[in-house]
Amino acid sequence: MACHEVPSNTKIKVKQRSVIVGIIGNPNVGKSALFNKLTKGKAWVGNWPGVTVEKKIGKINLGEASVEIVDLPGIYGLTAHSQDEIIARKFLLEEKPEIVIQVANAVNLERNLYLTIQLLEMNLKLIIALNMVDLAEEEGVEIDIHGLINELKIPIIPIVAIKGVGINQLIETMIEQIDKPIPSFKLDYGEEIEEAIEKISKLIGSSMRKLDFEVDSRWLAIRLLEDDNDVVEQLKSRGLESIIRESKRIKDELEARFNKSVEVLMIEKRYHYILSLSKKYVKRGPARKSLTIFTNKLDEVLTHPIIGLMIFVSMLYLLFKLSFDIVTPLTELIEIFFSHYVYNLFKTSFLPEIISSLLADAVLNGVSVVLIFIPNLLFLFLGISFLEDTGYLARVAFLFDKWMNKLGLSGRAVIPLLIGFGCNVPAIMSTRVLGTDRDRRLAVSMIPFMSCSARLPIYLLFTLIFFKENQIIVILSMYFVGVVTAIITAILFNNLLFKSQTVGYVMDMPPYLVPSAISVLIKSWERVKSFLIRAGTIIVSLMVVIWFLSITGPEGYLGAEALSNPELLSRSWIASFSKLLEPLFKPFNWDWRIIASLIFGFIAKEVVVSLLAVLYSAGEQGLSSVLLSSFTPLTAYSLMTFTLLYTPCMATVATIKTEIGLRHTLLIVSYQLIIAYTVTYAILLIGGLII
Amino acid sequence: MKIVAGYILLLGTAYIVSSLIYLIGNIAKVEIGIPQLLPADVGMVFYFITVGVLYNYAYIKSREEISKASLFIALTMSIAIMVVQAINFIIGFIDLFISSARVEAIYNLTRIEIILGILSVPLLIKVRKIIYE
């Protein structure tokens, strides 16, 4: 827990209590930078209840008060259209934070004031942290902060979050505000609308108690006039249909009078007010050092349809090089340490055979499967967080938006999908950069079809034996099959599962900034830690289950030797299960040994090759002659396709489960098995007709 | 200004020539030049060509006014790949203790992207003012 010293000139004592503070703001205004400065990097990440949007919480001590700081998702308004807006509003209504800090961008203050008005209308104790005042100054933007404070009657603190400027003053203000009353705010919507608001407020009056949250009846009336689905549903579930009916009647009357939607009228009023504030308190002079001009010039190149694409591919190459190529020695080091030193230590220990095998073959293998990913994940997330904080990812999203929109995704999804070619685990974790839960689920459903590097040894083995002449073309065809299946999956899922959830969104182009090293490090570490804790436990448990099913069989305990002895392994539960599945794979002409290899391929796809060698009683060198006698080029190709499409490795499955929940994981795994079976069958049928 | 433009041309050409030698060598299946002075793989060839195009675009534009954006991105990309290779060198050095990669690790320090990246640093320092203003 981080502890801030209460600034010495603070006269108000904070009593011993716990306080909740919410940090809110538009996307890319520096919320996370402020959150990190306030919590001094000591925070934990969870999920918002029921969804998989990250929830960051940090605790600090202010005097005698324990303050819980919650970083809310970036939003433009509180109209509950997108999931982020729903989460933020639910938090503000139900958790009733004592203080809400709105981080606003001083360079574009007007754009941030819409959210300010909505927050003030909710009767919250608001503090505005006016961020990037240094950049605003360079841009020639002059803000009359005192004038704005007098107008809005809320504290406004100029800060530069990334450099830590103004943070002490902000903390001081937070302490002062804790016990102060909430100032009232009322935006005048004009005589007719005000009359309507009052009528509906009176109607709501005594029914307020029936609601889940305490809220101002005026706010509720405004929301009803704006056709807020969430509020309507709340009222319906409490049997307050009469209020909905009456407010609809009032709204219809107003619309008939103005010949315009009430929602539009109210939005216009808010913007009119923002414009008047801007005219009075924001002055734009000549820029001293214009970041906007520089940003626009960079955008001309970075979002250029050809040069921009070339730069993006190059950046992706750099990211791959950093996270898959360069870290190989580190991964090998971990692998050697575990599979050699520690493994032998357990194996030669004085413990009984079953215990030492459990520790070495199951637990240790599970732990090393988890730890092997750390260097890749850490470097990949360092790269992604760096690009995210510079503002480059927003440009990538823009570059690919048109294409990805056709699949029902935002442009940002292109990055996780491409990372999937390296490894599916970090790809699934990097879907966290996607704004909505729906986008994440759709992208996660596509990623397992991206042929990861672990599947390459299988392709190499089979193409070397059966397609020596056309090795590259056959391998490329695997990638092609993967991509086409992913696209079909996106179209299918988008139309069947997520159609009703499509949400329009605003794409914000933040200015290019040099990221803060601490912010990048914290963000990356949080993501790696989340994988270690959550996916790690699932992987180790699954490893133990597979180990147990391999060393035992219908005859009982077979001994740890079964893991390397094909004769013993053929009497295990895994073999029995594979034999049970044999009729299912009869059309493919696959015997139980291939099925068992595929089951073990669930641990890691690379294992398929070495297990085929063990089960066919051939060394890896002699495997080619065994395979040549058991497979034809067509059955080999069908096995390659099945390996590409069937359920991904358990690290990927565990990551999917922790990222988007069990239900969707089961759906994806079953869907993949069906697709793999169908496509393989189709290949065999069509191939059989041609050849 | 002329010196800066000449320097940009030199860097851009170096990236493109190095890529072309790699491609010719690859198609003809012969080894041309010193491998250390060529991109390591096709991905890096693409990277080099992009950087080369950006430098040359900045040079061509320099007759009117240097394309600050292209130059800035080219410099950043030059330095970025240099940093990645430097990390490669540091991590590769760990190999010293577990394998015989000593020579390879030190050899990595003489790679073309490290040399060109280092050559880009003084240019970035020199033109920093032009770029930002």
Side-chain angles (χ1 to χ4, degrees):
Chain A
M1 190 189 290
C3 185
H4 284 273
E5 275 178 31
V6 178
S8 53
N9 53 351
T10 307
K11 287 177 187 136
I12 295 162
K13 293 266 182 214
V14 182
K15 287 170 211 148
Q16 194 162 8
R17 57 191 286 196
S18 78
V19 174
I20 299 175
V21 173
I23 299 183
I24 204 165
N26 292 8
N28 305 311
V29 287
K31 284 188 310 298
S32 296
L34 175 65
F35 177 82
N36 288 336
K37 285 283 171 205
L38 285 173
T39 57
K40 296 190 172 171
K42 293 185 178 172
W44 65 91
V45 184
N47 279 352
W48 291 96
V51 289
T52 54
V53 178
E54 266 178 22
K55 179 184 187 181
K56 279 206 294 185
I57 307 161
K59 270 199 175 166
I60 62 167
N61 284 330
L62 288 184
E64 287 178 13
S66 159
V67 179
E68 190 178 286
I69 300 182
V70 182
D71 190 8
L72 292 157
I75 49 167
Y76 292 98
L78 288 163
T79 36
H81 285 320
S82 75
Q83 188 171 44
D84 286 347
E85 287 175 355
I86 294 170
I87 290 168
R89 204 169 84 173
K90 218 167 170 199
F91 170 82
L92 297 173
L93 288 172
E94 291 173 12
E95 296 198 31
K96 278 268 162 203
E98 273 80 358
I99 291 172
V100 175
I101 300 174
Q102 187 201 348
V103 185
N105 182 353
V107 183
N108 281 311
L109 182 62
E110 297 87 339
R111 203 190 295 172
N112 299 254
L113 286 174
Y114 192 84
L115 180 64
T116 312
I117 293 172
Q118 289 197 313
L119 289 166
L120 288 170
E121 281 182 331
M122 282 180 88
N123 259 357
L124 294 162
K125 204 178 284 174
L126 189 66
I127 300 174
I128 293 183
L130 196 58
N131 195 18
M132 303 188 215
V133 279
D134 55 340
L135 292 182
E137 206 179 303
E138 283 172 7
E139 293 283 339
V141 180
E142 226 178 89
I143 300 169
D144 176 5
I145 294 177
H146 293 290
L148 261 179
I149 293 175
N150 285 336
E151 177 89 36
L152 298 172
K153 300 193 173 51
I154 49 167
I156 300 174
I157 315 296
I159 63 162
V160 183
I162 211 159
K163 295 178 187 161
V165 177
I167 303 296
N168 272 345
Q169 202 195 339
L170 182 67
I171 293 167
E172 207 174 302
T173 314
M174 270 162 62
I175 298 166
E176 283 171 6
Q177 290 296 313
I178 287 174
D179 290 318
K180 276 196 178 174
I182 301 170
S184 68
F185 174 86
K186 193 178 160 190
L187 177 67
D188 187 1
Y189 286 100
E191 205 181 317
E192 288 90 347
I193 297 178
E194 280 299 330
E195 220 173 87
I197 293 173
E198 203 165 320
K199 269 186 203 166
I200 301 171
S201 299
K202 272 184 191 160
L203 273 173
I204 295 167
S206 58
S207 310
M208 289 291 289
R209 253 174 293 147
K210 291 186 181 175
L211 295 172
D212 281 351
F213 42 81
E214 268 178 58
V215 73
D216 184 31
S217 60
R218 179 181 162 83
W219 179 80
L220 219 52
I222 292 173
R223 302 302 331 133
L224 278 173
L225 279 176
E226 286 193 278
D227 255 348
D228 191 309
N229 272 338
D230 207 39
V231 169
V232 170
E233 287 305 318
Q234 274 272 350
L235 294 179
K236 261 189 199 164
S237 65
R238 300 290 180 279
L240 300 170
E241 278 96 348
S242 57
I243 298 177
I244 302 168
R245 272 197 304 275
E246 187 56 18
S247 66
K248 194 171 176 328
R249 193 193 56 78
I250 297 172
K251 185 173 168 273
D252 290 344
E253 258 180 36
L254 272 177
E255 285 182 351
R257 198 181 307 168
F258 288 102
N259 205 13
K260 219 175 194 179
S261 134
V262 178
E263 193 178 359
V264 172
L265 281 168
M266 294 175 93
I267 292 171
E268 277 176 1
K269 282 283 174 194
R270 286 189 198 118
Y271 276 112
H272 191 261
Y273 180 60
I274 291 168
L275 205 69
S276 72
L277 286 179
S278 167
K279 270 187 191 158
K280 266 199 244 171
Y281 306 111
V282 183
K283 283 190 178 60
R284 289 182 188 273
R288 278 202 290 120
K289 211 165 116 180
S290 181
L291 190 74
T292 315
I293 295 171
F294 179 58
T295 293
N296 290 344
K297 282 195 169 175
L298 281 186
D299 277 351
E300 273 175 32
V301 182
L302 291 173
T303 57
H304 188 278
I306 297 163
I307 300 178
L309 203 65
M310 280 172 78
I311 294 170
F312 169 69
V313 175
S314 304
M315 286 299 180
L316 207 70
Y317 168 77
L318 210 63
L319 202 61
F320 263 71
K321 200 160 178 57
L322 191 69
S323 47
F324 294 112
D325 197 2
I326 285 175
V327 296
T328 312
L330 286 181
T331 316
E332 279 172 4
L333 203 67
I334 295 172
E335 207 175 345
I336 290 169
F337 178 73
F338 279 100
S339 64
H340 190 71
Y341 297 108
V342 188
Y343 185 85
N344 286 344
L345 196 74
F346 278 124
K347 276 287 189 185
T348 52
S349 68
F350 53 89
L351 295 165
E353 187 209 44
I354 186 163
I355 304 288
S356 74
S357 174
L358 167 71
L359 291 174
D361 296 317
V363 178
L364 189 71
N365 265 347
V367 170
S368 66
V369 164
V370 176
L371 293 182
I372 276 167
F373 281 109
I374 292 184
N376 299 110
L377 285 175
L378 190 64
F379 275 80
L380 184 78
F381 288 136
L382 278 175
I384 291 182
S385 306
F386 181 82
L387 291 179
E388 200 178 355
D389 285 9
T390 53
Y392 180 62
L393 280 199
R395 273 74 192 179
V396 173
F398 176 77
L399 206 61
F400 285 93
D401 203 52
K402 206 172 111 191
W403 301 104
M404 297 308 288
N405 266 341
K406 291 188 175 152
L407 300 178
L409 283 165
S410 77
R412 279 190 163 213
V414 80
I415 295 159
L417 289 176
L418 291 172
I419 290 169
F421 286 120
C423 178
N424 287 179
V425 174
I428 285 159
M429 294 196 71
S430 62
T431 55
R432 289 182 179 201
V433 297
L434 303 181
T436 66
D437 195 47
R438 174 199 166 279
D439 275 17
R440 290 194 65 199
R441 283 172 194 272
L442 195 52
V444 167
S445 312
M446 292 171 76
I447 288 169
F449 294 113
M450 301 288 142
S451 188
C452 68
S453 52
R455 290 174 225 197
L456 203 58
I458 307 166
Y459 305 157
L460 285 173
L461 174 82
F462 281 95
T463 50
L464 208 68
I465 299 170
F466 295 96
F467 309 97
K468 221 170 184 175
E469 302 279 296
N470 305 306
Q471 201 182 2
I472 293 174
I473 296 171
V474 173
I475 292 178
L476 279 177
S477 76
M478 283 291 112
Y479 285 86
F480 181 74
V481 169
V483 171
V484 169
T485 317
I487 291 172
I488 293 170
T489 304
I491 296 168
L492 209 68
F493 279 32
N494 190 33
N495 285 307
L496 295 178
L497 297 176
F498 306 118
K499 198 170 187 180
S500 57
Q501 300 165 30
T502 316
V503 176
Y505 63 95
V506 182
M507 198 183 277
D508 197 16
M509 293 285 178
Y512 291 103
L513 291 172
V514 178
S516 132
I518 292 176
S519 165
V520 169
L521 278 171
I522 290 172
K523 216 185 268 184
S524 312
W525 174 240
E526 271 167 6
R527 288 168 177 174
V528 175
K529 201 167 79 180
S530 156
F531 167 76
L532 274 180
I533 297 169
R534 295 196 276 164
T537 44
I538 301 174
I539 292 170
V540 175
S541 326
L542 279 174
M543 206 72 171
V544 172
V545 173
I546 290 178
W547 166 83
F548 182 76
L549 295 176
S550 309
I551 60 154
T552 54
E555 304 160 26
Y557 181 57
L558 300 168
E561 209 192 316
L563 292 168
S564 53
N565 182 331
E567 210 282 309
L568 282 175
L569 195 59
S570 69
R571 303 201 315 251
S572 67
W573 283 116
I574 289 270
S576 309
F577 184 60
S578 306
K579 282 170 189 164
L580 207 71
L581 290 175
E582 225 173 5
L584 199 67
F585 290 93
K586 197 92 186 155
F588 299 179
N589 225 358
W590 292 355
D591 68 6
W592 72 270
R593 288 173 292 192
I594 297 171
I595 302 165
S597 308
L598 291 171
I599 294 176
F600 275 95
F602 179 56
I603 298 173
K605 298 269 173 166
E606 303 94 316
V607 178
V608 173
V609 173
S610 50
L611 207 82
L612 275 173
V614 171
L615 290 169
Y616 279 99
S617 313
E620 270 181 56
Q621 301 304 323
L623 186 61
S624 41
S625 53
V626 180
L627 290 179
L628 266 171
S629 60
S630 326
F631 285 86
T632 63
L634 185 62
T635 48
Y637 191 81
S638 64
L639 181 63
M640 282 163 66
T641 315
F642 193 87
T643 324
L644 161 74
L645 302 175
Y646 88 119
T647 176
C649 69
M650 72 175 168
T652 307
V653 174
T655 314
I656 298 176
K657 194 249 157 198
T658 53
E659 292 296 309
I660 57 170
L662 185 65
R663 236 179 66 186
H664 201 85
T665 309
L666 292 176
L667 174 81
I668 292 175
V669 171
S670 336
Y671 170 76
Q672 278 199 271
L673 285 171
I674 295 167
I675 286 284
Y677 192 87
T678 318
V679 175
T680 310
Y681 201 18
I683 287 173
L684 282 168
L685 274 180
I686 299 165
L689 288 175
I690 298 169
I691 298 166
Chain B
M1 199 58 174
K2 266 190 176 172
I3 298 171
V4 170
Y7 204 77
I8 294 170
L9 180 66
L10 191 81
L11 282 173
T13 314
Y15 276 103
I16 289 183
V17 168
S18 159
S19 308
L20 290 177
I21 295 174
Y22 174 93
L23 287 175
I24 293 166
N26 214 342
I27 294 164
K29 292 198 164 67
V30 285
E31 201 173 286
I32 310 171
I34 307 160
Q36 286 297 100
L37 294 182
L38 301 178
D41 48 49
V42 183
M44 202 181 270
V45 168
F46 189 84
Y47 191 96
F48 271 33
I49 288 176
T50 307
V51 180
V53 164
L54 286 166
Y55 271 126
N56 282 313
Y57 182 71
Y59 167 75
I60 293 162
K61 284 272 175 179
S62 72
R63 286 168 205 165
E64 305 150 21
E65 188 202 5
I66 288 179
S67 165
K68 296 167 194 171
S70 303
L71 181 57
F72 178 75
I73 298 164
L75 285 168
T76 313
M77 286 175 78
S78 288
I79 294 164
I81 190 126
M82 177 189 81
V83 171
V84 169
Q85 285 297 19
I87 296 171
N88 190 8
F89 164 72
I90 295 163
I91 295 177
F93 222 78
I94 299 167
D95 260 4
L96 289 183
F97 305 105
I98 53 167
S99 71
S100 59
R102 186 179 295 127
V103 181
E104 203 185 310
I106 295 166
Y107 203 46
N108 268 338
L109 273 186
T110 61
R111 282 205 55 85
I112 186 165
E113 51 274 26
I114 301 254
I115 299 166
L116 291 176
I118 291 168
L119 288 174
S120 306
V121 175
L123 186 61
L124 181 65
I125 295 166
K126 171 130 183 82
V127 297
R128 200 169 55 107
K129 243 185 161 179
I130 316 172
I131 286 170
Y132 280 114
E133 281 168 13

